Amino acid sequence: MSSVTQKKGFGAHVWDYLTTVDHKKIAIMYLAAGTLFFAIAGFEALLMRIQLMFPESDFISAGLFNELLTMHGTTMLFLAATPIIFAFMNAIVPLQIGARDVAFPFLNSLGFWLFFLGAVFLHLSFFLGGAPDAGWTSYASLSLYSPGHGIDFYILGLQISGAGTLISGINFIVTIITMRAPGMTFMRMPLFTWTSLVSSSLILFAFPPLTGGLFLMLVDRMFGANFFDHTMGGNTIIWEHLFWIFGHPEVYILVLPAFGLFSEIIPVFARKRLFGYSSMVFATILIGFLGFMVWAHHMFTVGLGATANAIFAVATMAIAVPTGMKVFNWILTIWGGSIKVTVPMLYALGFIPSFVAGGVTGVMQATAPLDYQLHDSYFIVAHFHYVIVGGIVTALFGSAHFYWPIMFNRALNPKLGALTFWVFFIGFHLTFFIQHFLGLMGMPRRVFTYMGGQGWDLFNFISTIGAIMMGIGVVLLVIDVLLSIKSEPVNKRDYWGDGRSLEWAIETPLPFYNFKQTPLVRGYDPYWIEKEEGNKEGMVYAEPLGEIHMPNNSILPLIMSIGTFIAAFGALYSPWGDQAQAGATHASPAVSLALIIGGLGLTIGCMIARSFKDDLGFHVTVAEIEAIESDLAHYRATGKKGGNK
Amino acid sequence: MMKGLKKWRLFSLLTVMTVFLSACGEDYLSTLRPAGAVGKEQLNILLLSIVIMALVVVVVSTIYLVAFFKFRRAKLGENHMPKQVEGSHTLEVIWTVIPIILLLILAVPTLNSTYKFADVAAMDEVDEAGNKTALTVNVTAKLYWWEFEYPDLGIITAQELVVPTGEKVYFNLIASDVKHSFWIPSVGGKMDTNVDGINKFYLQFDKESVGLNDGEGVFYGKCAELCGPSHALMDFKVKALEPAAFDAWVAAMKATEGQTASADSADVGEAAFANSCIGCHAVSAVAGSGVGPNLTTFGDRNRLAGFMEHSVEETTNWIMDPEKYKPGNTMTGKYNVSPEEAKAISEYLMKLTVEK
């Protein structure tokens, strides 16, 4: 690191990414991995929609369809939306709070590798004898009944990946609480940082129930335990509770940062301060809290009784109030502003009505007696896609355009971006609006086929056309990204001209230590304040130029993750459980034990090695900082390399 | 805004919604065209909630569009600097209170109906003679078919539920293998069939099913919970008969007591059935729960296996290879019959009827 003008070959670059603890590089890895899984899950969705385009179609088989619907849901929520949210949290949160990295850079890397190897493990199921097929909810009676190893892949893959998510969540809580620049009080934190904090806290409380539930199911399947086997005194409803105690907050884990991203985009392109900042913060916390209290609204038809249903119905409706506050605050931010319709703003503008539509159907389902009709019908499919695509995916696409200059020092093409938006947005409404009616007309969800003449044929056909348009939209976005590689570097601060928070105050490309001097935050929207006062430097500093302490790179997180990955194979092919007795492929006890002990041993060995090594990081001297800064300035002026990268 | 205007808007919106929505879907399947008290009440809540929600969407979208078109930079000039407003307590209070009021309006019927639909106390009521006053049906969901037992009448059937109109019919719901969900969309909301215990609820059938769907004469029932490869094919049908016709049907069902297939029968189909099928399938409605669907009313049925055409030819195909039509079913490989036998069995099954 100390050698500024070091030249690197391809192998060195790969090694750099495998060992990096730099939050900006981890962000890029999260973005790349998340996009890969987003594409896979989107392709799965397209296959399902093609199957449902016509009644009694035999494009794909019933068994494969169930695998696709399971993997589509699981991948989209755990392996696409979550990592892409983490990509933006990693890329932006440290910059927004004026930090040089996250609190635990080593854990940040470990979180990524666990997520990634867990995701790879889950996807290997397609090649190793069948993917999970019991839905992303994996309800216990069906998942215990499911033959083969599909469900084992689900349990083990999510367990590993979930550990990564939990680690990352804790990391962000600590980072945001302890690493804010001087002057950045809690009530001066940008909304995206706020929502990241609340979302990370939700991760902290929501993932352990999932971990526990997955563990019980793992023991059921691996060793023939009977936590969920009702014939042996187990109870399948407990799985439903455990799953939804995790599963409902999960939606808010994803959508709150999406709200935060829009709260960054809208003020910039309205050239106006976010309206009602304190009520936005309050609403975020309230949504986070209520998000935990309402899991049983997924279980109105399970038979919990009238009182439980009534309580959960009213509690669920209450969420509409803080969410409504947010929507009005966004609109009032636009009101009286000066709106510039850029690509990120297009997504924000498209988001507001789409999300309101998704939100109000949520209130309809909260109405328990009405939910008896809506539950498990296509109405539900329409509702949650309105929330997840209309809320989260638009946020991710919009933010990709918004933050591309900071993350890659390149801009995406605005014309292609607008085209992508319109194709995707129209396709999205075409696909899902009509599904509300399919549900009301009696079509259950998760069906691989339907008989003709039940009044569903035309609507299903239209829905598929919409899905194809969404697919084309995503392909256009990928083309846009590929074109941006060859485009001119941005080389400036405040790409959009109206940036308000700290991340816009640094000139791109960013040095690896972010801020050469920690900024002093003098109010909400600190960079805007400096611009108002005509500060050409961008910031006021809280410290003189001095040595910067940075963490060392490490390969250990990757090796630790590989250890769990190996152990998971041992558990998967365990010879002791019901699956093995029922004839599913299994390893000999010796091989299985060797894999489990060897894999976990590798992981634990790395932990021991790490705990014995006093890794204090390194210091960047003032001379080195000056050299890096002058190299970067040289690069920005001439476009010639010679910088630290 | 004037109060009168608001009311007028609400009313017209409601009317438009009703007309628009009732044109949606088929009357034997759509939740928008209910044929029973439960479904009607659910539709009313649906309409109320849609009207409230549509109002919200319209108001929000209007403010949003006005804000957007009024304050575009293209219109205001590139250098226009808006006032940096912090917020407004008055406005924030307004848009906190209004949603709360709207939700309260919705919460009242919600709570009311939740308790009403869960009230199954009448299930165990008896008259002076000690007979149950309400009709109870035990529903057992299996891979991938439905068993309907009438415990107080001592009869059992499968795949086609027969109920009287004009009274509450109570259901005990359970699944015997994995979780399913019992749903007759046009009659009322669903209830899960768990493996762990019995769920109870009621539905009311106010309309006879005769004449529905160009003479098909049945309501459609669905399984709403993912239960394996053939989840989509786990359909059932419901015949709602006026009480007299229902009583006649019950009597005919009871009269099948002791009916069985004889291996010595001159009917080749009956003999083959007796040799290969009787182990799982009963042909008497008083026989109790069996491994496979009770076939006493096979000839009266509307569909084969819940979704296939009800013909000798299709039945033969089904017997020869059920896996092809319902993947993952538990019938495949349990017997061995030749194509000729299968055809004879199908012809025999078509003669099993209590209605003709």
Side-chain angles (χ1 to χ4, degrees), chain A residues 420-570:
Chain A
T420 306
F421 169 79
W422 284 113
V423 172
F424 186 81
F425 190 71
I426 294 170
F428 155 62
H429 282 282
L430 205 56
T431 310
F432 295 111
F433 186 72
I434 213 152
Q435 290 184 358
H436 292 115
F437 294 94
L438 277 175
L440 294 173
M441 283 152 54
M443 181 162 166
R445 73 179 174 134
R446 292 169 160 181
V447 290
F448 81 96
T449 189
Y450 54 95
M451 304 304 123
Q454 299 185 86
W456 306 337
D457 307 11
L458 177 67
F459 284 13
N460 270 301
F461 181 79
I462 294 172
S463 186
T464 301
I465 299 292
I468 292 169
M469 279 181 75
M470 289 172 79
I472 295 172
V474 174
V475 170
L476 288 174
L477 183 63
V478 171
I479 292 173
D480 201 355
V481 168
L482 294 178
L483 287 179
S484 84
I485 296 172
K486 289 283 165 204
S487 68
E488 283 293 301
V490 169
N491 290 338
K492 64 189 276 198
R493 62 160 64 99
D494 198 8
Y495 177 78
W496 302 101
D498 288 313
R500 308 179 70 88
S501 38
L502 277 180
E503 74 267 30
W504 301 108
I506 322 177
E507 226 166 325
T508 58
L510 271 54
F512 68 91
Y513 46 75
N514 296 350
F515 299 91
K516 73 176 194 273
Q517 288 157 274
T518 302
L520 178 69
V521 176
R522 300 193 293 154
Y524 180 63
D525 282 346
Y527 180 50
W528 182 266
I529 293 174
E530 301 302 330
K531 280 197 287 187
E532 288 270 271
E533 296 189 358
N535 182 349
K536 293 272 179 261
E537 177 77 7
M539 302 166 269
V540 197
Y541 298 117
E543 59 178 18
L545 187 60
E547 282 197 347
I548 295 173
H549 175 246
M550 294 301 288
N552 279 327
N553 284 359
S554 173
I555 191 70
L556 290 183
L558 176 59
I559 298 176
M560 286 167 74
S561 307
I562 291 173
T564 60
F565 184 78
I566 293 169
F569 274 103

Side-chain angles (χ1 to χ4, degrees), chain B residues 324-345:
Chain B
K324 182 179 166 193
Y325 301 95
K326 265 194 183 178
N329 75 80
T330 55
M331 175 169 168
T332 307
K334 296 275 162 62
Y335 54 88
N336 197 359
V337 294
S338 68
E340 293 73 32
E341 283 173 320
K343 185 157 184 288
I345 291 170

Side-chain angles (χ1 to χ4, degrees), chain B residues 227-260:
Chain B
C227 54
S230 288
H231 162 56
L233 306 173
M234 199 175 152
D235 288 5
F236 62 98
K237 304 286 177 284
V238 185
K239 272 191 189 128
L241 308 173
E242 61 169 45
F246 178 74
D247 291 342
W249 178 79
V250 172
M253 288 291 274
K254 282 182 170 169
T256 63
E257 182 162 12
Q259 182 174 304
T260 184

Side-chain angles (χ1 to χ4, degrees), chain A residues 66 141 145 236 240 271 273 276 301-302 317 338-339 349 367 369 372-373 375-376 440 446 453-454 500, chain B residues 28 31 42 64 71 73 78 80 84 86 110 143 179 183 185 190 192 194 196 199 222 224-225 228:
Chain A
N66 286 0
S141 59
Y145 191 87
T236 60
E240 295 184 29
R271 202 178 260 173
R273 193 192 149 123
T301 66
V302 168
M317 287 180 185
S338 163
I339 316 300
L349 292 169
T367 312
Y372 301 158
Q373 283 286 23
H375 185 76
D376 267 334
L440 294 173
R446 292 169 160 181
Q454 299 185 86
R500 308 179 70 88
Chain B
Y28 54 89
T31 66
Q42 283 161 338
Y64 158 80
F71 299 102
R73 197 170 303 176
E78 196 53 43
H80 174 75
Q84 302 293 309
E86 205 168 304
T110 298
L143 294 170
K179 183 184 173 104
W183 188 27
K190 64 188 74 63
D192 291 358
N194 298 318
D196 313 279
N199 271 338
K222 302 277 173 187
E225 185 65 67

Side-chain angles (χ1 to χ4, degrees), chain A residues 306-433:
Chain A
T307 304
N309 281 4
I311 291 170
F312 281 98
V314 175
T316 305
M317 287 180 185
I319 296 185
V321 177
T323 313
M325 280 161 70
K326 279 185 171 264
V327 171
F328 282 110
N329 277 325
W330 286 318
I331 294 176
L332 264 283
T333 307
I334 294 174
W335 193 281
S338 163
I339 316 300
K340 187 172 182 187
V341 188
T342 57
V343 177
M345 192 61 176
L346 261 181
Y347 280 102
L349 292 169
F351 153 79
I352 292 176
S354 313
F355 187 77
V356 170
V360 294
T361 53
V363 177
M364 290 170 71
Q365 284 157 46
T367 312
L370 177 55
D371 183 70
Y372 301 158
Q373 283 286 23
L374 305 179
H375 185 76
D376 267 334
S377 79
Y378 255 77
F379 191 92
I380 303 291
V381 180
H383 157 74
F384 68 70
H385 282 96
Y386 258 80
V387 174
I388 290 172
V389 181
I392 299 164
V393 176
T394 51
L396 298 177
F397 284 11
S399 308
H401 288 86
F402 189 54
Y403 286 126
W404 211 257
I406 292 183
M407 290 180 78
F408 297 98
N409 196 26
R410 298 283 190 286
L412 294 174
N413 185 319
K415 281 198 180 126
L416 197 50
L419 179 67
T420 306
F421 169 79
W422 284 113
V423 172
F424 186 81
F425 190 71
I426 294 170
F428 155 62
H429 282 282
L430 205 56
T431 310
F432 295 111
F433 186 72

